[in-house]
Amino acid sequence: MLRRSAALACLIALALAGCGGGDDSPGPKVGVQGDEKEAATDLGFPSFATKNTTRVGGADPIANAAAVARAAYPGGDASQRPKAVALVDVDDWQGGVAAAALFGEPIGAPILFTEDGDMPAATKAALEALAPTGSKEAGDAQVVRIGKAAEPDGLKTTDVEGDSPAAVAAQLDGILSEARGRSSEFVLVVGSQKPEFAVPAAGWAAKSGEPVLFSDRDVVPKATKAALERHQQPKIFVLAPESEVSKKALTELKRFGSVERITTVEDPVAAAIVFARYLNPVGNYGWGVRDPGHGLVFVNRERPLDAIAAAPLSGTGMYGPTLLHGGGPKLDVLLDGYLEDIRPGYRKNPVRGVYNHGWIIGDEKAMPIPVQSRIDDLLEIRIENTESAPSS
C-alpha cells in the first residue's frame, strides 16, 4: 500500500510538471542536477512533497482533477487505464459529488472537468492519455457525461441529464444499481445548497461506490423520493446540519427507510472531522478514522470543487476521508487537534509502526506551505513512553 502511495505521488508530480519538464513547467522539474543551487526546490520540496505529505498543486479544480485521474490510472497496459471517465461541468458541484460514486466498483471512472461547454487543455490531454477502454457496466460507454458537460470527440458516451441536481443524482443511482446488479443497502443524502457541507461525501462515494442523493432544506425532491423507493427501505445517512436538511425533511426521508443524521454541527471544518470519525457498526458504515494508519485528503473549504477533483485519492492507494481547512495561514485549531489525536506512535521500533499520509490539494494560495508543514509534523510517527502507547 505504501509503495502504491509513493507511485501515485510520483505520477502526480509528473502530471503537474508536464511531459517535457522544462523550466516553464508548473510543477517539479525532472533531470535537475544536484550541483544546481535550487535543486531541492526544483524537485518539488517542500512545496510539492514533504516526508508525510504530497501536494496536488493545480491552481484550479480542472488541473487538479486531471492530475489525480492520471495518478489513479498511469497507463501502460489496459489494467492501468480506466473503463470510463466521468465528465462534469466545473460549475456543477452537485453533479460532481454524485458522479464521484462512479469511481467505485465496478466502473472505476475518475472525474474530469469541462468548462462552459468547452474541453480545457488539461482535461483534453488527460482524456487522451487515459484512453478509456469502455465500461460494459455503463452501457459500454467510455465517457459518462454529467448534465451540461462538454461532449468529447470520438468516444462512446452515456449521458446523464436532468432538470435538477436531485434528478441527475437519481439517474446516476440507477446506473450504479444496474452496474452492480442490485440496489445499494446504504444511501448518503446531502443538502443541495452549500457545497462545503456536501463535498466530503465525494470521497466516501469514490471509496464505496454507493450513491449520493440530494435533499432541499425542507422538502425532499420527487426524484430523490423515487430513487429511495427503488432501494426498498435502505439505511439512509444524512451528511448535513439542520440548516441544510431540516427536521421536516428528515421526517419525510423516514418514510423511505431508516434515517440517521451523521452530524448536526454548522461548521464545515468540524462537520468533515465528524464524518471522518463516524462509524456505524451496522454494516460497518463510515470511515471510522479514530486511530493512525490512514490516508487523509486536505482541501480548502473555499475551493470545494477541489474535493471532487481529489475524490479518487479517497478510493485508492491509502484510502481516507476528505478534511477541510479554513484557508488561513495556520491550520485550523479543530483540524490540528484531530490530527494530534490520530497521530502515529511507537514504543520500540518505528519500522513496526503504522503511518498516516496526507494529500494536500491545490496550490499555495489554497493551502499555504506553513499549513502543509504543520500537517506534515502532525502526521509524523513519534516515540511514545506512556503505558497507553501502542506496543509496536
Side-chain angles (χ1 to χ4, degrees):
M1 184 179 292
L2 290 174
R3 196 175 302 164
R4 175 163 173 77
S5 181
L8 284 172
C10 292
L11 286 160
I12 283 180
L14 290 173
L16 289 170
C19 295
D23 290 340
D24 294 331
S25 298
K29 307 301 188 293
V30 177
V32 177
Q33 295 183 354
D35 59 0
E36 296 181 33
K37 182 179 179 181
E38 303 300 328
T41 53
D42 283 346
L43 287 172
F45 305 104
S47 62
F48 274 78
T50 64
K51 58 190 181 297
N52 299 303
T53 69
T54 307
R55 182 187 291 266
V56 183
D60 60 26
I62 296 171
N64 288 328
V68 168
R70 290 300 316 279
Y73 291 102
D77 58 48
S79 67
Q80 292 295 304
R81 290 161 53 197
K83 298 176 185 178
V85 170
L87 286 181
V88 182
D89 189 87
V90 75
D91 290 327
D92 182 13
W93 68 263
Q94 295 100 331
V97 169
L102 294 171
F103 187 76
E105 293 292 341
I107 297 175
I111 288 175
L112 294 175
F113 287 117
T114 68
E115 187 174 25
D116 296 330
D118 293 327
M119 199 78 67
T123 298
K124 185 177 181 181
L127 191 56
E128 290 175 355
L130 290 167
T133 60
S135 172
K136 180 181 179 181
E137 299 85 358
D140 294 323
Q142 294 166 285
V143 169
V144 181
R145 179 174 162 267
I146 311 299
K148 297 180 180 179
E151 295 186 22
D153 295 327
L155 296 175
K156 186 172 181 180
T157 301
T158 290
D159 291 344
V160 180
E161 298 176 330
D163 57 4
S164 68
V168 170
Q171 284 201 42
L172 279 165
D173 175 44
I175 290 174
L176 293 169
S177 295
E178 187 172 344
R180 284 183 160 188
R182 58 179 175 81
S183 295
S184 173
E185 179 185 1
F186 305 111
V187 175
L188 188 61
V189 172
V190 298
S192 59
Q193 294 83 38
K194 294 183 179 179
E196 59 268 30
F197 286 105
V199 292
W204 175 256
K207 179 259 184 189
S208 66
E210 294 164 357
V212 179
L213 299 176
F214 289 94
S215 175
D216 297 331
R217 185 182 186 278
D218 294 317
V219 177
V220 179
K222 290 182 179 179
T224 297
K225 291 178 182 178
L228 291 172
E229 284 180 346
R230 291 196 300 267
H231 283 265
Q232 299 181 349
Q233 295 294 306
K235 296 177 177 64
I236 303 168
F237 296 89
V238 178
L239 182 62
E242 290 185 20
S243 63
E244 288 293 289
V245 178
S246 69
K247 291 180 180 179
K248 181 179 178 181
L250 216 67
T251 299
E252 200 169 358
L253 286 170
K254 289 178 181 178
R255 292 171 45 203
F256 302 95
S258 65
V259 177
E260 181 172 347
R261 191 192 296 272
I262 292 174
T263 176
T264 60
V265 296
E266 296 287 346
D267 172 36
V269 174
I273 294 171
V274 171
F275 188 37
R277 287 184 179 275
Y278 180 82
L279 182 65
N280 187 301
V282 179
N284 200 33
Y285 185 91
W287 288 109
V289 177
R290 306 171 185 177
D291 51 11
H294 305 281
L296 302 163
V297 181
F298 297 91
V299 174
N300 185 332
R301 61 169 284 184
E302 301 299 326
R303 285 178 42 168
L305 268 293
D306 279 342
I308 297 166
L313 298 177
S314 292
T316 190
M318 291 187 70
Y319 299 73
T322 300
L323 297 167
L324 301 182
H325 165 59
K330 293 184 178 181
L331 189 65
D332 298 75
V333 173
L334 288 174
L335 191 51
D336 195 292
Y338 173 60
L339 296 181
E340 183 67 55
D341 189 45
I342 63 168
R343 183 172 184 163
Y346 71 96
R347 294 186 66 183
K348 295 179 181 179
N349 186 349
V351 174
R352 303 299 177 192
V354 296
Y355 306 93
N356 290 336
H357 177 266
W359 293 102
I360 309 297
I361 310 302
D363 58 10
E364 293 173 31
K365 291 182 179 178
M367 300 288 280
I369 289 180
V371 171
Q372 181 178 8
S373 178
R374 178 58 179 164
I375 291 172
D376 176 82
D377 180 56
L378 289 166
L379 299 182
E380 176 70 11
I381 192 170
R382 64 182 178 186
I383 189 167
E384 296 281 3
N385 294 314
T386 65
E387 291 298 323
S388 61
S391 58
S392 56

